[in-house]
């Protein structure tokens, strides 16, 4: 797998995400006002917006003069405008006359209006330059486009300039989410995973300066990299000094009291104002709020104090030494001791007590760790668990590691808990969770099954119910004589009380139902039942993926697509790479089934990029299988072959997983001009799947077989298996197989329209091609209609073409206007005569004729008459 890292570069095409602001500047400068003042926080891109607006004016021929004011020249008279400084001994009046003379005729020849003076950081102008600018504005010699930080708008220099010109003001905010994502994609020069975009957004909140420096830092520490053509980011544990320098320049100089107050908020946000008042003087917090370093937010339950920007806290925490951090946490515990209104507050305070090495009661730590895990705070649960001694601590820490997707770290901890704890119920739960971790995470099915067998032998029968979910999870994905559905039902009848095991059980029955031919029932089971519980985000995503796939199998493609987009955003928000990968794969399936094969491949590549070799094996195997599936659709033989090899290496022996990999192998054969071999494989797969009761996979095999080599035999078998299912889609597959076997062109064309109406564009294309092939000598109207339809559907399918069908001849359909002009030209009219008759310019006639020649494959006018006899070319669009 190829991985590349490179320094991000600025976008090539001007500003990103500033269309509205740039339009406002353009409108205001073209009006009657004296100019525009751009205000905003440091790093939001005021200078970039200023530069872009001035470049645009310069390109239109306006007179433009640029000034950058700096603090170091603020005490030097005319230091910001040395070109207008008067001779020694002269005063402001002489400076004004000199400036007026130079500026009045400084615009390019033919330019209208006064010169536009661009001033970056106008608050740093020296007094003499500010006074000169005031006079120039008052007399209408210049218009001004200036920038200033929001907290410097009322400084004397800025107030002077604003009063003189009555400048319009544009507040430049940070980029919104769409603008931020566009900027990141432009800087990196390629697709970026949703997980990376979300992490970058939460870190930078759309501040372009922080975004650029965060990208630099992430590449420097190798936490941002391109894989499978998609940029992914897993935030590292350090940042480069350059990023923190940029943050500290933004924060500015702080007094000791202000620095202490900001540190409290950095470690404890969100914080109630009353708690902060116990730690610092209210006046200190007010100053921080005025400077935008902290802000008050209302979460619906009360007002809370938060940092003005997430990176302020990150920079503070990175520079805080251990002893200082320990003291801060102790002081926060003291301030919060009598103000813990919520469970979340109690969890946080307990975490601070543990980290600050304050005395704690073990039951309180256990309760806090349990509550943190229940609320989806696996990282916080992990920190708390590290303060729990002995095998009980190993149990709590092992659970947190499972929830965080760290299978290797979890195994020795769960083993310790299972072997050394003396509570049979906890031992049973540890055995079950360990078995699932061994199978799903570490691909050791035999070890997992042996563990469960031994646990059943020596643990009391009353706790065996906690282990049923592990047996069910293994049975669903592993070849054995056990009836997977029966084991899942047994587990549901005795549901586990351990939250992680309960989450693991949620997707199992819908998964079994969907593949057993009851996707409609599976979708009904999951409708409104996908748990809001997020303790184990991967299992949450697994249930969501089952819901999407059940709808896809029912033919509810539009509903599945909407749901997939919503679940994808949810998975990104929960931050689980495995969960995001699983849902991204499902988004790809929705796109691919709609005929957007290239887009399906891109989503599958993202799924692979955010997951890795440590991802739970059924998820990784399915993603690789889908990569092979879409690569085979696109004729990418090497990519498909590599993906299938990776599946073979990943799957445990005798695994039930890998159905799509086997189907992809058959598709790859069909895509490489080996349809006979593909049909042989599909026949065997259909028999195996049907015998095993895997109706959905059997239908996929039969559907593909019926398309590659239609026959009465495969149509009859497709109908028989479809009747075993509650899926409307499978019935449509059977109808299509019947039509293909009969070779009825009218029925195939009708089905093409039906597939298109249902949003299955690729199948609509294929049915149209079959209908065209079934009419060897169509009349002109029918042939032209089908040819145009095929061309249009193929364009909507990203150019995809079913590889087992012959490529059509180039489409030579003329537009109505081209047909009209060609008919007149073939009749002997000249271009001038045609232009007069049709009321067109001669150049337009020439252009239409040239395009028509290219479509018809001819070079000269004399060939037109014969070429127009082609029925497909001769039939204009309806």
């Amino acid at each position: 797998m190829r991985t590349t890292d490179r320094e991000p570069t600025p976008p090539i095409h001007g500003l990103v995400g500033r269309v509205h602001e740039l339009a406002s500047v353009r409108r205001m400068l073209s009006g009657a006002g004296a100019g525009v003042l751009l205000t905003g926080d440091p790093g939001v891109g005021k200078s970039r917006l200023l530069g872009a607006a001035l470049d645009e004016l310069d390109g239109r021929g306006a007179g433009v003069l640029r000034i950058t004011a700096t603090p170091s020249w603020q005490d030097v008279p005319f230091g910001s405008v040395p070109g207008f400084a008067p001779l020694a001994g002269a005063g402001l009046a002489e400076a004004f006359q000199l400036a007026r003379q130079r500026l009045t005729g400084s615009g390019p020849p033919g330019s209208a209006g006064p010169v536009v003076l661009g001033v970056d950081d106008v608050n740093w102008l020296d007094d003499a330059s500010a006074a000169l600018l005031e006079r120039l504005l008052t007399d209408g010699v210049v218009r001004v486009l200036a920038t200033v930080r929001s907290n410097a708008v009322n400084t004397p220099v800025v107030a002077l300039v604003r009063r003189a010109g009555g400048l319009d003001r544009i507040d430049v905010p940070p980029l919104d989410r769409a603008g931020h994502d566009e900027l990141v994609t432009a800087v990196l020069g390629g697709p970026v995973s949703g997980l990376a975009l979300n992490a970058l957004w939460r870190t930078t909140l759309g501040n372009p300066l922080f975004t650029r420096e965060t990208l630099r830092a992430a590449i420097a520490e190798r936490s941002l990299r391109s894989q499978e053509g998609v940029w992914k980011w897993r935030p590292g544990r350090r940042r480069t000094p350059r990023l923190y320098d940029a943050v500290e320049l933004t924060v500015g100089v702080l007094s000791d009291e202000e620095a202490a107050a900001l540190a409290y908020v950095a470690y404890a946000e969100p914080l109630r104002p009353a708690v902060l008042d116990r730690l610092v003087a209210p006046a200190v917090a007010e100053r921080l709020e005025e400077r935008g370093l902290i802000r008050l937010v209302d979460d619906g339950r009360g007002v809370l104090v938060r940092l003005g920007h997430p990176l302020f806290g990150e920079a503070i925490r990175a520079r805080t030494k251990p002893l200082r951090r320990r003291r801060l946490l102790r002081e926060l515990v003291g301030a919060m001791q009598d103000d813990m209104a919520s469970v979340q507050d109690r969890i946080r305070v307990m975490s601070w007590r543990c980290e600050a090495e304050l005395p704690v009661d073990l039951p309180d730590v256990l309760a806090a760790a349990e509550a943190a895990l229940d609320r989806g705070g696996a990282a916080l649960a992990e920190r708390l668990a590290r303060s729990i001694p002995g095998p009980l601590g190993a149990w709590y820490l092992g659970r947190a590691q499972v929830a965080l997707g760290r299978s290797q770290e979890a195994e020795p901890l769960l083993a310790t808990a299972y072997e050394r704890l003396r509570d049979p119920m906890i031992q049973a739960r540890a055995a079950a969770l360990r078995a699932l971790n061994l199978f799903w995470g570490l691909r050791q099915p035999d070890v997992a099954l042996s563990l469960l067998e031994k646990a059943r032998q020596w643990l009391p029968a009353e706790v065996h119910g906690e282990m049923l979910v592990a047996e069910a999870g293994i049975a669903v994905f592993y070849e054995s004589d056990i009836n997977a559905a029966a084991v899942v039902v047994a587990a549901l009848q005795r549901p586990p009380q351990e939250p992680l095991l309960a989450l693991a059980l949620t997707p199992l029955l819908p998964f079994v139902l969907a593949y057993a031919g009851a996707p409609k029932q599976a979708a009904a089971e999951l409708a409104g039942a996908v748990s809001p519980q997020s303790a184990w985000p991967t299992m949450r995503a697994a249930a969501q993926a089952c819901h999407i796939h059940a709808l896809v199998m029912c033919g509810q493609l539009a509903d599945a697509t909407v749901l997939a987009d919503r679940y994808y955003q949810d998975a990104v928000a929960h931050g689980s790479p495995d969960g995001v990968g699983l849902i991204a794969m499902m988004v790809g399936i929705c796109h691919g089934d709609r005929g957007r094969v290239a887009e399906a491949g891109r989503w599958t590549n993202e799924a692979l990029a955010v997951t890795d070799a440590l991802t739970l094996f059924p998820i990784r195997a399915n993603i690789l299988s889908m990569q092979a599936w879409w690569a085979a659709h696109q004729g990418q033989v090497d990519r498909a072959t590599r993906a299938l090899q990776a599946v073979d290496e990943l799957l445990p022996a005798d695994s039930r997983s890998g159905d799509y990999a086997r189907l992809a192998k058959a598709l790859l054969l069909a895509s490489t001009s080996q349809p006979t071999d593909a049909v042989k494989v599909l026949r065997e797969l259909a028999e195996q799947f049907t015998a095993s009761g895997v109706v959905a996979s059997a239908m996929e095999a039969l559907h593909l077989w019926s398309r590659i080599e239609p026959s009465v035999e495969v149509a009859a078998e497709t109908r028989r298996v479809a009747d075993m299912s509650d899926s409307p889609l499978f019935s449509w597959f059977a109808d299509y197989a019947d039509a293909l076997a009969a070779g009825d062109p009218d029925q195939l064309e009708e089905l093409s329209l039906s597939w298109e109406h249902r949003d299955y564009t690729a199948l609509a294309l294929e049915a149209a091609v079959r209908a065209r092939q079934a009419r060897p000598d169509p009349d002109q109207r029918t042939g032209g209609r089908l040819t145009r339809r095929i061309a249009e559907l193929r364009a909507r399918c990203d150019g995809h073409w079913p590889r087992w069908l012959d490529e059509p001849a180039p489409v030579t359909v003329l537009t109505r206007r081209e047909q009209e002009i060609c008919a007149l030209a073939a009749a002997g009219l000249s271009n001038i005569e045609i232009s007069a008759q049709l009321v067109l310019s001669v150049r337009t006639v020439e252009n239409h004729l040239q395009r028509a020649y290219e479509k018809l494959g001819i070079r000269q006018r004399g060939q037109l008459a014969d070429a127009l006899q082609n029925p497909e070319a001769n039939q204009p669009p309806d």
Side-chain angles (χ1 to χ4, degrees):
M1 196 171 291
R2 189 171 169 225
T3 298
T4 59
D5 301 333
R6 61 178 177 81
E7 279 284 310
T9 55
I12 297 172
H13 302 293
L15 287 177
V16 170
R18 295 298 186 199
V19 173
H20 299 300
E21 289 87 349
L22 191 57
S24 296
V25 171
R26 188 184 303 122
R27 184 180 66 254
M28 291 175 181
L29 285 178
S30 64
V36 179
L37 185 66
L38 303 173
T39 65
D41 293 335
V44 296
K46 301 182 298 297
S47 298
R48 287 275 295 156
L49 180 58
L50 172 78
L54 294 176
D55 289 345
E56 188 176 283
L57 287 167
D58 208 3
R60 295 208 309 261
V64 172
L65 186 64
R66 305 171 198 244
I67 295 172
T68 300
T70 59
S72 58
W73 285 84
Q74 194 173 26
D75 295 329
V76 180
F78 300 105
S80 300
V81 288
F84 302 133
L87 297 174
L92 183 60
E94 289 79 5
F96 172 71
Q97 290 301 327
L98 175 63
R100 186 184 184 96
Q101 291 171 6
R102 293 183 178 178
L103 289 171
T104 302
S106 65
S111 63
V115 169
V116 176
L117 194 61
V119 187
D120 202 11
D121 289 328
V122 66
N123 54 298
W124 293 123
L125 283 177
D126 59 275
D127 291 341
S129 297
L132 175 60
L133 181 57
E134 178 197 20
R135 183 61 186 275
L136 291 170
L137 276 169
T138 302
D139 282 23
V141 177
V142 298
R143 287 185 177 178
V144 169
L145 177 59
T147 70
V148 64
R149 294 186 178 192
S150 296
N151 59 10
V153 169
N154 295 318
T155 56
V157 169
V158 180
L160 179 71
V161 175
R162 292 179 69 190
R163 279 198 304 270
L167 303 182
D168 292 315
R169 178 173 171 177
I170 297 177
D171 291 318
V172 182
L175 295 171
D176 61 15
R177 180 59 192 270
H180 164 270
D181 291 356
E182 184 184 355
L183 174 63
V184 172
T185 302
V187 169
L188 294 177
V192 186
S193 76
L195 200 60
L197 288 172
N198 193 60
L200 285 162
W201 168 255
R202 287 188 288 105
T203 298
T204 67
L205 292 184
N207 183 297
L209 171 64
F210 292 164
T211 299
R212 184 182 69 242
E213 295 303 330
T214 301
L215 290 173
R216 285 187 194 276
I219 285 182
E221 68 181 13
R222 297 182 62 79
S223 58
L224 180 68
R225 60 185 62 191
S226 178
Q227 194 165 313
E228 298 291 339
V230 177
W231 286 90
K232 70 173 185 176
W233 185 41
R234 292 195 177 180
R237 296 180 177 272
R238 63 185 179 85
R239 292 278 186 269
T240 58
R242 179 167 171 163
L243 173 61
Y244 292 136
D245 288 345
V247 174
E248 289 179 355
L249 285 172
T250 299
V251 171
V253 178
L254 298 174
S255 67
D256 291 343
E257 294 85 357
E258 290 169 339
L262 206 57
Y264 289 128
V265 182
Y267 276 97
E269 70 169 332
L271 201 60
R272 277 184 287 279
V275 176
L276 187 59
D277 287 345
R278 295 178 199 139
L279 294 163
V280 300
V284 175
E286 289 168 10
R287 289 199 299 272
L288 292 177
E289 183 186 17
E290 288 169 0
R291 294 174 60 180
L293 300 179
I294 62 174
R295 57 193 172 95
L296 297 181
V297 297
D298 191 341
D299 69 347
R301 293 170 296 178
V303 176
L304 299 170
V305 180
R306 284 193 175 274
L307 291 169
H309 195 281
L311 278 175
F312 296 167
E314 191 169 316
I316 290 168
R317 291 189 293 270
R319 300 288 174 89
T320 304
K321 302 297 182 185
L323 289 177
R324 165 85 169 142
R325 179 172 177 274
R326 185 169 175 265
R327 179 168 66 81
L328 283 168
L329 292 175
R330 289 185 172 215
E331 291 168 353
L332 282 166
V333 168
M336 285 280 291
Q337 199 60 50
D338 299 323
D339 195 1
M340 293 186 287
S342 66
V343 174
Q344 191 64 34
D345 284 339
R346 292 193 287 274
I347 296 171
R348 293 164 64 218
V349 170
M350 181 56 65
S351 172
W352 299 339
R353 294 187 71 92
C354 293
E355 291 181 58
E357 300 177 352
L358 289 169
V360 295
D361 293 329
L362 181 59
D364 292 338
V365 181
L366 295 177
E370 194 70 50
L373 190 61
D374 285 346
R375 291 168 176 268
L380 181 56
E382 177 192 20
R383 292 200 298 273
L384 287 162
R386 294 191 184 281
S387 300
I388 303 172
L392 194 58
W395 167 236
Y396 276 80
L397 185 55
R399 295 162 74 218
Q401 300 289 23
V402 167
L404 290 167
R406 300 171 184 164
S407 301
Q408 292 181 325
E409 292 90 335
E411 163 52 20
L413 295 165
L414 295 175
T416 297
Y418 170 67
E419 293 163 3
R420 293 179 54 193
L421 287 172
R422 292 294 172 261
D423 183 330
M425 180 61 75
I426 296 181
Q427 285 179 299
R429 293 172 179 174
L433 195 57
R434 186 186 173 199
L436 285 176
N437 189 61
L438 283 165
F439 177 57
W440 283 345
L442 302 180
R443 290 181 290 147
Q444 298 179 22
D446 294 336
V447 178
L449 289 170
S450 175
L451 168 67
L452 290 173
E453 184 179 356
K454 291 177 181 177
R456 277 190 166 277
Q457 291 174 359
W458 67 278
L459 288 175
E462 57 266 24
V463 301
H464 287 184
E466 291 291 305
M467 295 186 289
L468 282 172
V469 63
E471 295 173 4
I474 296 172
V476 167
F477 295 100
Y478 190 61
E479 188 66 49
S480 68
D481 294 333
I482 300 173
N483 184 321
V487 180
V488 172
V489 170
L492 287 167
Q493 290 172 345
R494 299 175 64 183
Q497 300 304 304
E498 160 57 38
L500 295 185
L501 293 175
L503 284 170
L505 180 58
T506 302
L508 293 182
L509 181 61
F511 183 90
V512 169
L513 287 171
Y515 278 89
K520 195 181 222 179
Q521 184 181 346
E525 291 276 341
L526 285 164
V530 175
S531 172
Q533 174 65 270
S534 56
W536 194 354
T538 301
M539 288 301 108
R540 176 189 178 93
Q544 293 170 333
C546 281
H547 194 187
I548 299 165
H549 210 184
L551 291 175
V552 169
M553 288 183 182
C554 289
Q556 297 174 237
L557 195 50
D559 293 340
T561 302
V562 172
L563 195 65
D565 289 339
R566 178 157 64 86
Y567 282 161
Y568 175 78
Q569 296 303 326
D570 179 78
V572 165
H574 281 86
S576 163
D578 291 0
V580 172
L582 185 55
I583 303 299
M585 178 192 75
M586 296 309 306
V587 175
I589 288 173
C590 291
H591 279 290
D593 283 0
R594 296 171 74 183
R596 299 168 186 172
V597 176
E599 187 69 4
R602 195 208 71 77
W603 278 100
T604 309
N605 289 344
E606 176 175 338
L608 276 179
V610 300
T611 56
D612 54 32
L614 300 179
T615 296
L616 301 187
F617 89 82
I619 295 175
R620 183 74 172 175
N622 284 330
I623 294 171
L624 285 163
S625 298
M626 292 314 303
Q627 186 187 51
W629 180 256
W630 301 124
H633 273 82
Q634 297 176 83
Q636 298 171 350
V637 177
D638 291 343
R639 178 183 283 266
T641 302
R642 287 195 303 270
L644 291 172
Q645 289 172 346
V647 174
D648 289 340
E649 295 168 3
L650 184 62
L651 290 177
D654 299 324
S655 171
R656 288 182 186 267
S657 300
D659 289 1
Y660 264 104
R662 292 188 276 273
L663 290 166
K665 287 178 182 178
L667 179 61
L668 187 58
L669 288 170
S671 300
T672 53
S673 303
Q674 302 177 66
T676 302
D677 293 339
V679 165
K680 180 180 178 182
V681 171
L682 289 169
R683 184 192 297 271
E684 294 171 354
L685 288 176
E687 292 173 355
Q688 293 171 13
F689 291 146
T690 305
S692 302
V694 190
V695 174
S697 296
M699 277 304 303
E700 291 282 4
L702 290 165
H703 175 55
L704 186 54
W705 176 8
S706 69
R707 292 158 57 201
I708 295 170
E709 190 179 86
S711 69
V712 174
E713 173 198 0
V714 69
E717 183 62 9
T718 303
R719 177 68 64 187
R720 186 181 76 82
V721 175
D723 289 342
M724 301 178 184
S725 171
D726 65 4
S727 166
L729 176 63
F730 294 171
S731 294
W732 301 340
F733 284 171
D735 293 341
Y736 188 35
D738 288 338
L740 288 169
D744 183 335
D746 292 330
Q747 189 179 5
L748 286 167
E749 188 172 356
E750 183 180 340
L751 282 173
S752 175
L753 293 169
S754 296
W755 284 128
E756 184 181 14
H757 177 72
R758 295 163 182 156
D759 220 9
Y760 288 85
T761 315
L763 288 175
L765 167 65
E766 191 175 314
V769 174
R770 290 290 192 182
R772 179 69 179 82
Q773 291 176 340
R775 297 184 189 274
D777 297 307
D779 58 57
Q780 291 184 0
R781 176 167 292 277
T782 301
R785 181 183 67 243
L786 283 171
T787 300
R788 286 191 302 279
R789 176 167 174 73
I790 290 167
E792 188 226 337
L793 289 170
R794 186 172 189 180
R796 287 166 54 192
C797 291
D798 302 326
H800 162 66
W801 185 261
R803 304 284 166 172
W804 48 88
L805 297 178
D806 293 334
E807 284 276 1
V811 176
T812 58
V813 178
L814 304 180
T815 66
R816 284 193 180 278
R817 180 63 80 183
E818 289 167 350
Q819 171 67 23
E820 190 175 23
I821 290 172
C822 286
L824 293 173
L829 274 67
S830 69
N831 290 354
I832 295 176
E833 291 170 329
I834 295 172
S835 69
Q837 182 169 329
L838 299 180
V839 195
L840 298 172
S841 70
V842 175
R843 175 61 60 86
T844 300
V845 171
E846 292 172 349
N847 289 339
H848 278 300
L849 281 172
Q850 184 58 44
R851 284 194 294 270
Y853 291 170
E854 292 171 359
K855 289 182 179 181
L856 296 171
I858 62 176
R859 295 185 178 183
Q860 53 189 344
R861 208 180 193 91
Q863 297 174 295
L864 268 174
D866 290 338
L868 290 176
Q869 297 305 310
N870 182 326
E872 293 177 4
N874 200 38
Q875 181 60 49
D878 294 330

